Amino acid sequence: MDAAVRADRAWLDSGTVPTGGLGDRYTAMASRALLDLRLLTRPNGASQASWYGLWRYSWPRDSAFTAAAFTVSGHPAEARSILGFMARAQDPDGTWAARYHVDGRPVTDGRDRQLDALGWMLWAAWFYQAETPDADVAGELWTMVRRAADHLALSLDAEGLPPASSDYWERDPRTEEDPRRPTLGVVGPVLAGLRSAAAIAYGEGADAEADRWGRAADRLSGALAHQFAPFGYPRSPVRGGRMDTSVTFVAPPFAPRDAGVTAAISHAFAEQALPNGGVLPGEEWPGNKEVAWTPEVALFGLAAAASGRTETALERLDWLRGHRTSLGVLPEKVGPDGHQAGVAPLGWTASMVVLSLAALEDPLPIPPP
């Protein structure tokens, strides 16, 4: 046990523990979050969502955020390992299964492939390159980027939108308010991913790919402005559409700051807020309406921190800090009584806490439009 403690401390000391520039206020939470991410990541780069039950698998979406958290905290080898695992797991058509066993086998449980995963992995690869001096994206990482970006660019329809797909809610897109069009939970990551891929390509001197993916990103950006912005960025592009945490996917650090998006984020948080201080994943959430979700609170916090809205970011971080387990671990959910109501640790929440605190210290890079 002593050796394990020394190893953990040495690993933390080998990088940095983001604190938001606020002394010890968040040091314990950030340290524990980083150690949990380390514990959840296998030597082959498979990063589990959590240890238990349905969470003991590796999702591309969660893994992308873990890679970004390792990158920003000075652990590039761990970030590169996660990206490498996902590069090896990727299918030749550029897509990923919804989730994977830690040995790289896809989980065959009937879940559809989720298009947002491609966008998140492209963003994570670019983030790793942007934040890591002399980062190498050649070989398997460039193959991963090319496959995913080509798939996304070719998927856009005449309106410039990708097809309807499951997103971070992981539910049938036919149940959405507009089943014909993708949700903001797909559009946001796909846009960030195409912009990220174009930036990587420009840096690698692959001008043809950069132009192709950049043009696709421009088309999707125009579709976002025409289909979602007029209605206040709801989950589905319909008048009076329900608000959703995915509005943060079109805000920093995934997209440049926009006044309309900032207003929509404030509106969404108010519509999703619960008496315990947390939020539901979205307005009119079909699940338990009394249980708050920590990754959603963390997403609102990350958007605020990356946009310079420091006081709002601190409110979200303070809520998360106050609702950890007795061991200081961030759980997935918090019940109406303020106690843990879901699995812990949850890697996605831990990674966004690390990113939020880093953003309060120095601006995080944003994929260039």
Side-chain angles (χ1 to χ4, degrees):
M1 289 175 64
D2 287 344
V5 170
R6 288 195 298 271
D8 280 349
R9 289 175 176 166
W11 182 80
L12 288 174
D13 290 342
S14 70
T16 59
V17 178
T19 64
L22 296 164
D24 292 334
R25 181 171 174 176
Y26 299 114
T27 300
M29 179 168 65
S31 298
R32 183 69 264 165
L34 281 168
L35 290 176
D36 285 339
L37 292 174
R38 185 187 184 212
L39 286 168
L40 291 170
T41 303
R42 299 297 181 89
N44 67 347
S47 183
Q48 295 173 263
S50 190
W51 281 118
Y52 310 105
L54 298 175
W55 295 264
R56 66 183 185 277
Y57 303 107
S58 181
W59 273 262
R61 179 188 311 109
D62 302 51
S63 297
F65 279 82
T66 300
F70 281 144
T71 297
V72 83
S73 60
H75 300 287
E78 287 81 352
R80 177 62 178 77
S81 178
I82 292 172
L83 294 172
F85 174 85
M86 282 299 164
R88 295 187 295 275
Q90 186 186 39
D91 282 353
D93 69 352
T95 65
W96 281 275
R99 54 186 183 159
Y100 290 86
H101 296 280
V102 294
D103 61 5
R105 291 177 296 118
V107 178
T108 54
D109 60 354
R111 297 188 189 205
D112 291 334
R113 290 169 183 261
Q114 297 157 11
L115 203 60
D116 66 320
L118 282 68
W120 288 131
M121 289 307 305
L122 290 170
W123 167 76
W126 170 80
F127 191 92
Y128 163 74
Q129 183 188 53
E131 288 285 277
T132 305
D134 303 321
D136 182 13
V137 296
E140 64 180 6
L141 289 192
W142 173 246
T143 299
M144 179 187 80
V145 168
R146 179 174 47 77
R147 286 173 170 176
D150 275 344
H151 185 100
L152 292 180
L154 291 171
S155 76
L156 303 186
D157 62 17
E159 295 180 305
L161 290 171
S165 164
S166 178
D167 62 13
Y168 81 109
W169 277 23
E170 297 195 302
R171 72 180 191 186
D172 190 332
R174 291 174 296 182
T175 64
E176 302 293 346
E177 290 184 282
D178 185 352
R180 302 168 302 161
R181 291 182 173 89
T183 62
L184 197 57
V186 171
V187 171
V190 170
L191 179 57
L194 285 169
R195 286 172 170 170
S196 296
I200 291 173
Y202 276 123
E204 295 297 307
D207 293 346
E209 287 86 353
D211 290 342
R212 184 166 69 251
W213 302 335
R215 287 195 301 269
D218 287 344
R219 291 181 60 213
L220 181 52
S221 178
L224 176 68
H226 286 95
Q227 301 285 345
F228 288 86
F231 305 126
Y233 298 96
R235 177 173 172 81
S236 290
V238 296
R239 188 175 302 279
R242 293 189 285 268
M243 299 305 295
D244 182 74
T245 308
S246 58
V247 67
T248 62
F249 299 164
V250 290
F254 314 116
R257 186 172 182 177
D258 177 271
V261 172
T262 300
I265 288 173
S266 297
H267 176 55
F269 189 89
E271 293 296 318
Q272 298 167 219
L274 288 173
N276 68 5
V279 293
L280 296 171
E283 188 180 5
E284 298 186 24
W285 170 243
N288 190 318
K289 293 178 173 55
E290 295 184 340
V291 173
W293 291 63
T294 65
E296 279 66 25
V297 176
L299 278 166
F300 281 114
L302 176 57
S307 301
R309 294 180 286 116
T310 302
E311 289 305 314
T312 299
L314 297 182
E315 289 177 11
R316 310 294 176 248
L317 288 165
D318 282 341
W319 187 88
L320 291 165
R321 182 182 61 168
H323 291 87
R324 293 173 294 158
T325 70
S326 58
L327 296 179
V329 174
L330 290 155
E332 178 194 37
K333 304 174 191 175
V334 175
D337 59 358
H339 294 147
Q340 175 186 354
V343 68
L346 190 74
W348 198 18
T349 302
S351 62
M352 285 186 285
V353 163
V354 172
L355 288 167
S356 297
L357 290 168
L360 291 174
E361 295 177 350
D362 293 296
L364 297 179
I366 297 171

